[in-house]
Amino acid sequence: MAMVNVIIDGVSVQAEAGSTVLEAAQKAGINIPTLCYLKDINQIGACRVCLVEIKGAKALQPSCVYPVSEGLEVYTNTAKVREARKGVVELLLSNHPSDCLNCVRNGSCELQDLAHQMGIRKNRFIGEQSTFPVDERSVAIVRDPNKCVYCRRCEAVCSKVQGVSILGGIGRGFNSTVGPAFGHALDDINCTLCGQCVNVCPVGALAEKDDTDKVWGALADDSKHVVVQFSPAVRVAISEEFGLPYGTISTGKLVAALRRMGFNKVFDTNWSADLTIMEEGNELLDRINNGGTLPMITSCSPGWVKYCENHYPEQLGHLSTAKSPQAMFGAMVKTYYPQTDGVDAASIYSVSIMPCTAKKYEAARPELADSGYRDVDAVLTVRELARMIKQAGIDFVNLPDEECDAPMGLGTGAATIFGTTGGVMEAALRTVYEVVTGETLPKLELEEVRGTMGEIKEATIDLNGTQVKVAVANTLARAKEIMEKVKAGECDYTFIEIMACPNGCVGGGGTPIVSSLQRRLLNEDYRALRTKGLYNDDANLPLRKSHENPFIQKVYADFLGEPLGHKSHELLHTHYTPRKKYNVGCNE
Amino acid sequence: MGAGAFVCGEETALLTSVEGKRGEPRPRPPFPAEKGLWNVPTFVNNVETLANIPVIFTEGAEEFSKVGTAGSKGTKVFAMAGKVNNIGLVEVPMGTTLREMIYDIGGGIPEGKAFKAAQTGGPSGGCLPESALDTEIDFDTLVAAGSMMGSGGLIVLDETSCMVDISKFYLEFTQDESCGKCPPCRIGTKRMLEILDKITLGEGTMEDIDNLETLAKTISSSALCALGQTAPNPILATLKFFRDEYEAHIVDKTCPAHVCKKLLRYEIDATKCKGCTLCARNCPVGAIVGTVKEPHKIDAAKCIKCGACMDNCKFGAIFKA
Ligand code: SF4
Ligand code: SF4
Ligand code: SF4
Ligand code: SF4
Ligand code: SF4
């Protein structure tokens, strides 16, 4: 890598040619403030918060996009720079509701941080404030354009990472804002509710729909038997909310916290992830052996499922009919569990903790009521759960490790890795291989499918002489690439895993928000760190193959019969709905 | 996507627009000559620049340089408009004075009214006062005088123009045309416009002038593109040359040019009024009282400042104060 010498505030540093002043300054020990900048995703020099003085340049320059060059002299802290940055932040605040005390981002807001850092005690600029309508229609995401600072990070992630391009600049001048075309509500269009936009929003303009009151209400209601499941990625993501290092597995503390909050039973979505593998693995074999639609594509990511319904409605036959682990759990907890415990199914209130905003949408799908009730009554993101734990005053970090309840609380390592890209594939193959070949897998770790953000991974597996080609994709932009091939009939894969979010659910839209600054300071992508945590968890668990889970064997013996059997079809499989891109206006 | 947006005259916004995206400037570097349209090196030039090239080729550089000033060679096309008898496009040698343009070419100011200012450079430019009439204008002298060549617009203003109102007019334009990408321009020009509005309504304070200056400084030093960076110019120039007009609005609550409606009063000169009652009959809100053949009076509290009375008075008895 070619290096150039630059001088930042009198300090000489070497910076990679092609890197920016912002990056070089970080090497010189200076964290220039930013707002619209988001590493690798949004570098547009728009917000003017990162302005610096460059020797020889007439105007102040945005350090996030200004390229370094040999001998470049930069001043990051002159009076002119400070005054300009402060002025810009004051202007932003002059069109911002000073609503911090009532705001979901109070304490984790990048605008708040800037105002504090700039020492703004009184705003010199006052005037009219925007009054856009707030979009609260969807069950998953709330969009309040009045808090939007027009950083365009959501727009960049939705178009560049997800390839969905729902969000874009609308209006001119003071009326500029970001939103779906023609002011449509997210609910009316092809938004996947993946929540990636929420994860990158520096302020409270995009947030998950808050269901914490609903859950507190259920917990306070003595007539309700409140059960909870938490998905694979939650056990790792929750740690960050309590200051633990990225990648820390906190399963035991999480269980303890949920018990202290008052849940009657604490179960684990890992149990139903193992169940998913049993059903989906057998469905795959069934499709291979009986000429079913191939490639079969996983269906456990609701962001992906909605994307497929909106964008490839004619390809829905490729989706596995197996429900997602959340949905399987929901159906089982109100049918199977009452049989084992004697609880009245009607009194059960089922809550799930998910790394995902789209899971709120999944839970609300009308067809997911096979138990005779709503299978899942409330979905909380990791962020909402963390808020509740904090509200309850629970000292999370110092909790003892506790174990989940039986019979739906035990999962294998195969289930744990559902939380990351490639994990469902690896888990499925661990089981499918042994079912088909009758032999024990020589090596459990299927490195070929373990990918990173925005990667497509391929592998070929030898199943008793049959070569099965599989692919794994994360992010919807990559899903689109695969689907274009599937659509064109140019796809020789047998089985494909798709997760909507970057790195899979560890990067889900309901996970803790990692600020732009934190992302810059970390040496590794935070999602990759969460993934490492899950792989460690898998490696440390006594059971690592879904079919070896004794509680899964038990549920088939006592209740379901066999995979793909009658009861499974009734409770564990589902169908999909072709959808237009827009419910309103015209469709192309 | 440009949709006729003013900002798409900025080269990077133009390129972004041609690429089919929302017309918004992007930071330079990289300059279009390195990374322009679809990231390939691109030259962007004005038609006027290109129009000069054939002359240089056919007549030679030396011949071309004979016209113009030391720093600005050749000719310049101005779009002359406003309070001037001959409006239209004029091509003059660089170095022509404003006086020559307005009085010799433009034929002076209609109705023998007094010159007040020449606005050059479009919404990014500034207003030059009478003292600048004999400046030989070229790129450098205009900047030194507090304005700019910009688009080559030349708008002549006479004694009936209010300079605060003129600033407001330009700010309304930049605010409408701001692409919104950066906060200083998106929000800053709105804040300046709000202050100007306040002043023209007679609600301004002297602090507002300081605030205008602070905003101007913040915006010009931090906006992304020239549209925002130069948006404060009309205000800065009028504050420099016509500060007394701002102060009249703020301190005396009057608009010296009688433009700002809120600060305007219609009055009847009792010595000229014949009591014909025509004004009273034309007033839409019945604000004029008086008996036939007696001088009439306008009830300022009722008057909506529509000017109907003044237009109808045959004796010139009604005046703006
Ligand atoms: S978005 Fe940030 S600055 Fe705005 S109200 Fe919420 S916490 Fe406060
Ligand atoms: S939820 Fe996902 S698809 Fe919808 S706007 Fe946000 S990033 Fe785009
Ligand atoms: S909604 Fe959030 S991420 Fe999107 S532009 Fe506004 S502030 Fe930025
Ligand atoms: S990848 Fe995971 S977090 Fe993202 S939409 Fe799918 S299930 Fe939700
Ligand atoms: S200065 Fe104005 S027109 Fe230029 S980029 Fe900023 S907002 Fe857009």
Side-chain angles (χ1 to χ4, degrees):
Chain A
M1 185 61 76
M3 301 297 277
V4 294
N5 297 296
V6 294
I7 304 168
I8 313 263
D9 297 331
V11 178
S12 294
V13 282
Q14 290 222 314
E16 283 170 18
S19 66
T20 62
V21 166
L22 183 77
E23 288 158 341
Q26 195 175 320
K27 287 191 161 183
I30 289 160
N31 293 322
I32 297 172
T34 60
L35 184 59
C36 70
Y37 173 85
L38 195 64
K39 198 175 163 203
D40 303 326
I41 292 175
N42 202 41
Q43 293 174 217
I44 58 174
C47 75
R48 321 308 283 170
V49 167
C50 72
L51 291 176
V52 294
E53 258 185 78
I54 306 263
K55 195 177 174 187
K58 251 200 307 190
L60 298 176
Q61 297 293 334
S63 57
C64 71
V65 288
Y66 201 93
V68 293
S69 56
E70 184 59 39
L72 194 76
E73 254 181 75
V74 182
Y75 299 91
T76 72
N77 185 30
T78 63
K80 193 176 169 192
V81 162
R82 279 197 310 273
E83 182 49 40
R85 288 178 188 165
K86 189 173 178 189
V88 166
V89 175
E90 277 176 272
L91 280 171
L92 283 168
L93 293 174
S94 78
N95 184 30
H96 193 89
S98 300
D99 197 21
C100 298
L101 291 179
N102 305 312
C103 183
V104 62
R105 294 297 293 273
N106 189 12
S108 67
C109 171
E110 294 183 34
L111 181 62
Q112 224 179 29
D113 290 348
L114 283 174
H116 184 62
Q117 190 182 352
M118 309 270 158
I120 296 169
R121 294 291 170 266
K122 180 178 179 289
N123 197 339
R124 291 168 293 174
F125 314 131
I126 44 164
E128 187 191 325
Q129 302 208 343
S130 303
T131 48
F132 295 106
V134 178
D135 177 8
E136 297 181 289
R137 288 257 309 279
S138 89
V139 294
I141 293 173
V142 180
R143 215 173 59 78
D144 181 356
N146 301 310
K147 287 184 181 166
C148 172
V149 294
Y150 204 52
C151 70
R152 321 287 282 276
R153 280 154 52 159
C154 55
E155 177 182 340
V157 86
C158 187
S159 60
K160 288 198 230 159
V161 177
Q162 295 302 54
V164 188
S165 303
I166 297 286
L167 302 169
I170 38 182
R172 306 293 286 184
F174 187 71
N175 299 320
S176 309
T177 189
V178 165
F182 309 113
H184 288 327
L186 294 176
D187 224 20
D188 282 333
I189 52 171
N190 54 327
C191 168
T192 67
L193 301 169
C194 71
Q196 286 308 308
C197 51
V198 177
N199 276 7
V200 300
C201 184
V203 292
L206 285 163
E208 63 283 351
K209 183 63 94 36
D210 190 304
D211 288 312
T212 56
D213 279 346
K214 230 162 95 179
V215 175
W216 280 132
L219 287 169
D221 183 344
D222 288 339
S223 69
K224 290 202 168 91
H225 181 79
V226 191
V227 298
V228 64
Q229 58 166 319
F230 57 92
S231 93
V234 175
R235 69 207 63 221
V236 66
I238 189 80
S239 309
E240 294 155 32
E241 288 280 359
F242 299 96
L244 296 167
Y246 294 89
T248 309
I249 296 288
S250 297
T251 319
K253 295 189 191 314
L254 178 59
V255 173
L258 291 168
R259 279 219 180 91
R260 278 156 183 71
M261 283 166 70
F263 286 99
N264 299 91
K265 281 284 158 78
V266 181
F267 293 136
D268 192 342
T269 314
N270 276 11
W271 176 80
S272 53
D274 282 330
L275 194 57
T276 300
I277 288 302
M278 298 305 289
E279 293 295 326
E280 195 166 305
N282 281 290
E283 183 188 355
L284 176 67
L285 293 176
D286 182 60
R287 288 191 190 212
I288 295 174
N289 296 332
N290 300 315
T293 307
L294 290 174
M296 185 177 90
I297 311 177
T298 57
S299 61
C300 39
S301 162
W304 147 243
V305 169
K306 180 150 193 293
Y307 178 80
C308 193
E309 290 178 329
N310 280 131
H311 294 255
Y312 298 95
E314 71 292 351
Q315 306 296 331
L316 292 174
H318 289 281
L319 289 183
S320 161
T321 61
K323 284 183 186 172
S324 73
Q326 162 175 273
M328 285 197 183
F329 182 97
M332 295 297 280
V333 85
K334 293 192 182 181
T335 52
Y336 167 62
Y337 166 61
Q339 289 194 5
T340 65
D341 208 82
V343 220
D344 175 13
S347 72
I348 296 178
Y349 189 88
S350 120
V351 177
S352 66
I353 319 290
M354 293 286 137
C356 180
T357 44
K359 286 283 176 193
K360 289 181 188 265
Y361 173 82
E362 180 186 87
R365 291 176 74 110
E367 66 273 20
L368 293 189
D370 291 325
S371 61
Y373 309 93
R374 289 307 310 162
D375 291 346
V376 174
D377 293 293
V379 179
L380 299 173
T381 59
V382 180
R383 298 188 289 268
E384 290 164 274
L385 175 67
R387 291 203 289 273
M388 292 178 80
I389 295 175
K390 287 170 193 170
Q391 275 170 29
I394 294 170
D395 179 6
F396 186 86
V397 176
N398 292 312
L399 283 174
D401 284 346
E402 291 184 11
E403 298 214 336
C404 285
D405 294 302
M408 297 168 70
L410 183 80
T412 67
T416 272
I417 58 175
F418 258 62
T420 185
T421 178
V424 176
M425 177 62 68
E426 187 170 332
L429 292 175
R430 285 182 192 175
T431 289
V432 167
Y433 183 89
E434 299 202 353
V435 170
V436 173
T437 63
E439 287 165 25
T440 308
L441 253 183
K443 182 169 181 273
L444 279 183
E445 293 80 11
L446 197 63
E447 307 283 353
E448 301 101 295
V449 298
R450 296 187 169 187
T452 57
M453 173 173 159
E455 237 190 336
I456 295 182
K457 299 289 268 187
E458 289 181 349
T460 306
I461 315 297
D462 185 348
L463 287 181
N464 260 359
T466 313
Q467 301 300 314
V468 174
K469 199 166 165 194
V470 301
V472 169
N474 72 89
T475 72
L476 291 171
R478 294 290 94 78
K480 184 177 182 177
E481 279 174 34
I482 293 209
M483 287 314 287
E484 285 302 317
K485 283 200 206 160
V486 170
K487 197 173 163 183
E490 290 164 2
C491 183
D492 59 349
Y493 305 126
T494 304
F495 185 30
I496 303 171
E497 175 208 289
I498 294 180
M499 293 192 193
C501 295
N503 274 55
C505 305
V506 288
T511 57
I513 287 172
V514 181
S515 73
S516 177
L517 179 64
Q518 283 172 282
R519 291 180 195 216
R520 259 158 75 192
L521 297 178
L522 281 170
N523 293 324
E524 225 176 316
D525 187 274
Y526 67 94
R527 289 155 292 211
L529 294 169
R530 292 176 185 166
T531 292
K532 274 190 192 164
L534 290 184
Y535 282 131
N536 285 339
D537 192 39
D538 168 37
N540 291 332
L541 284 170
L543 295 171
R544 300 181 65 193
K545 298 169 200 162
S546 298
H547 55 282
E548 290 179 355
N549 182 337
F551 285 94
I552 291 295
Q553 291 162 352
K554 190 169 158 52
V555 73
Y556 279 109
D558 296 353
F559 184 73
L560 287 170
E562 51 175 3
L564 304 186
H566 176 68
K567 243 204 158 103
S568 292
H569 267 294
E570 210 171 87
L571 294 173
L572 305 182
H573 290 259
T574 186
H575 59 273
Y576 307 100
T577 312
R579 292 175 207 276
K580 291 187 283 189
K581 277 195 188 160
Y582 310 109
N583 294 338
V584 283
C586 61
N587 278 279
E588 17 100 68
Chain B
M1 292 278 216
F6 179 70
V7 73
C8 291
E10 199 278 349
E11 58 177 0
T12 60
L14 177 67
L15 298 174
T16 313
S17 175
V18 173
E19 288 172 1
K21 300 178 194 139
R22 184 180 156 92
E24 290 176 345
R26 41 199 201 215
R28 298 172 303 179
F31 290 90
E34 305 159 51
K35 268 189 181 182
L37 191 62
W38 291 302
N39 277 332
V40 300
T42 308
F43 278 115
V44 183
N45 276 298
N46 279 317
V47 177
E48 195 180 14
T49 308
L50 297 174
N52 277 306
I53 293 175
V55 189
I56 299 173
F57 272 89
T58 53
E59 310 296 322
E62 211 170 304
E63 203 50 39
F64 181 85
S65 307
K66 281 185 187 161
V67 180
T69 62
S72 311
K73 303 295 182 198
T75 64
K76 172 74 199 153
V77 177
F78 283 92
M80 191 152 57
K83 304 290 175 60
V84 62
N85 281 313
N86 308 324
I87 59 165
L89 295 172
V90 282
E91 183 178 5
V92 292
M94 289 282 191
T96 307
T97 64
L98 280 174
R99 189 184 297 282
E100 287 168 317
M101 273 203 278
I102 296 166
Y103 289 94
D104 300 348
I105 304 170
I109 294 169
E111 297 169 33
K113 294 234 165 72
F115 171 88
K116 188 185 246 178
Q119 210 284 347
T120 75
S124 317
C127 291
L128 299 176
E130 202 175 353
S131 61
L133 273 178
D134 292 309
T135 311
E136 295 183 350
I137 52 181
D138 68 8
F139 288 110
D140 306 323
T141 53
L142 274 183
V143 172
S147 184
M148 65 191 274
M149 188 79 85
S151 56
L154 174 61
I155 295 171
V156 183
L157 306 171
D158 70 11
E159 56 188 312
T160 64
S161 304
C162 164
M163 299 314 283
V164 185
D165 186 60
I166 290 288
S167 298
K168 204 176 101 182
F169 169 81
Y170 282 110
L171 257 292
E172 267 165 14
F173 179 83
T174 32
Q175 169 54 212
D176 268 357
E177 292 295 337
S178 158
C179 81
K181 184 167 177 170
C182 66
C185 175
R186 175 176 80 243
I187 308 170
T189 57
K190 172 82 175 174
R191 296 291 169 251
M192 291 206 294
L193 181 58
E194 287 168 340
I195 296 176
L196 291 176
D197 221 28
K198 211 176 136 198
I199 296 176
T200 57
L201 290 174
E203 293 159 11
T205 61
M206 288 305 281
E207 230 190 357
D208 285 328
I209 295 190
D210 298 338
N211 284 341
L212 278 177
E213 282 169 343
T214 315
L215 276 165
K217 210 171 119 197
T218 302
I219 297 166
S220 59
S221 68
S222 63
L224 193 158
C225 84
L227 190 151
Q229 287 160 5
T230 59
N233 283 358
I235 297 180
L236 290 176
T238 48
L239 272 178
K240 182 168 166 196
F241 298 118
F242 303 96
R243 201 182 184 95
D244 53 331
E245 284 198 32
Y246 282 82
E247 289 173 359
H249 285 75
I250 293 170
V251 182
D252 311 333
K253 306 292 175 205
T254 58
C255 170
H258 305 308
V259 172
C260 300
K261 259 195 176 175
K262 239 341 201 328
L263 300 178
L264 198 65
R265 267 176 303 124
Y266 282 92
E267 284 184 13
I268 299 177
D269 182 344
T271 63
K272 288 188 187 167
C273 176
K274 306 274 184 241
C276 73
T277 73
L278 199 56
C279 57
R281 278 182 278 135
N282 276 290
C283 176
V285 291
I288 303 179
V289 289
T291 37
V292 192
K293 299 207 171 129
E294 296 286 330
H296 281 45
K297 257 193 138 72
I298 300 177
D299 180 348
K302 277 192 184 167
C303 172
I304 57 164
K305 295 159 191 182
C306 69
C309 53
M310 190 167 151
D311 295 343
N312 281 290
C313 179
K314 296 199 169 69
F315 308 100
I318 303 182
F319 63 96
K320 296 181 192 171

